[in-house]
Amino acid sequence: MTPTLVPHHPARDWAEIQERMLVPLYEAAYARLGVGPGTRLLGLDCGTGLALLMAAARGASVAGAEGDHARVELARTRLPDAVTVTPDVPADGSYDVVTAFHAADRTSFGPADLTRVAQSGAAVVLAGWGPPERCATEPLLRLADRLADRRPSPGTDLGALAVRAGLRPVGAGRVACPFGYADEASAVRGLLSTGVFDAAVRATDPAQVEKEIEEALAPYRRPDGTVWMPNVFRYVVARVA
């Protein structure tokens, strides 16, 4: 199989292809916490800002922190002027909702940041991949580990992560977040934009990484050329003491 070798812009591919796949997760978390007017929300690892945009549409006062500068710049172009996105965690510690939707994946911030920015009693949402048997993307995650020549991750215990951060878990949920792509090339670009394959791309030939992703997508290609990967994501709600 010949790799697509389409020029990639990871931040733009995340914004245009991949970020929308997590909309059900964002909606479920916001509905559970009653995010709306009067909520002061901070999104850590906020990507290119879609989750922040959704919270702002609910009437919340929102801000974001994102360690990838290209994503910061894209977020600033798509968000209202009242929404600030910075590469660093704000010094303000008065947020009553803090989200870390990528707590088990690509993260730029540590557990201490979760509590430093939140007021007493604030809700913190940690999210990540669901059970391996419920995630069609699981073989791609293992592929990323193999290509990066690293031991497969056992997965992140979000409840334990919350406790290590000094938080008190109070609830949890699972949300279906299927990954649907218009074609194989879009699927490759979207998956590469997640950051899961960054170490693999650094460790080996990028064309080989792309070729192996395409081969791993074979079970999920439909007759019309689209790619459909059912996934379940987990989230934990915790409180700041």
Side-chain angles (χ1 to χ4, degrees):
M1 184 180 295
T2 304
T4 57
L5 295 177
V6 177
H8 301 302
H9 186 300
R12 186 174 298 120
D13 289 344
W14 175 261
E16 296 178 355
I17 300 172
Q18 194 66 32
E19 194 170 25
R20 60 186 170 83
M21 311 293 182
L22 298 180
V23 163
L25 172 63
Y26 304 153
E27 283 286 4
Y30 292 161
R32 182 157 185 164
L33 295 177
V35 171
T39 302
R40 298 193 72 248
L41 180 146
L42 174 69
L44 296 179
D45 284 304
C46 67
T48 52
L50 179 57
L52 298 183
L53 193 63
M54 293 170 59
R58 285 172 162 266
S61 173
V62 302
E66 169 57 53
D68 184 304
H69 288 263
R71 296 188 188 208
V72 170
E73 293 306 314
L74 274 177
R76 288 171 174 170
T77 66
R78 69 197 302 207
L79 291 165
D81 292 340
V83 179
T84 60
V85 177
T86 63
D88 302 304
V89 179
D92 184 358
S94 61
Y95 294 97
D96 48 36
V97 173
V98 178
T99 63
F101 288 121
H102 303 281
D105 199 355
R106 182 195 63 85
T107 58
S108 301
F109 309 105
D113 294 313
L114 296 170
T115 52
R116 182 165 60 83
V117 296
Q119 63 183 5
S120 179
V124 177
V125 180
L126 308 176
W129 299 99
E133 66 275 12
R134 301 289 303 279
C135 289
T137 315
E138 175 68 13
L140 278 297
L141 302 180
R142 302 287 73 80
L143 171 63
D145 289 333
R146 177 174 64 79
L147 292 175
D149 193 24
R150 65 190 175 198
R151 181 175 300 177
S153 169
T156 301
D157 184 331
L158 296 172
L161 177 61
V163 171
R164 289 198 301 272
L167 302 168
R168 178 172 53 88
V170 295
R174 295 182 179 182
V175 185
C177 292
F179 289 3
Y181 305 96
D183 51 37
E184 184 179 82
S186 295
V188 173
R189 290 170 57 200
L191 291 166
L192 285 172
S193 77
T194 63
V196 169
F197 287 91
D198 286 358
V201 169
R202 291 192 297 268
T204 189
D205 179 8
Q208 180 64 24
V209 174
E210 188 168 329
K211 177 177 182 294
E212 297 216 28
I213 292 174
E214 289 179 351
E215 292 174 352
L217 289 173
Y220 312 108
R221 283 195 293 267
R222 292 176 161 182
D224 62 0
T226 59
V227 176
W228 185 255
M229 308 178 76
N231 293 297
V232 169
F233 277 69
R234 304 169 287 137
Y235 70 88
V236 165
V237 178
R239 292 284 177 182
V240 177

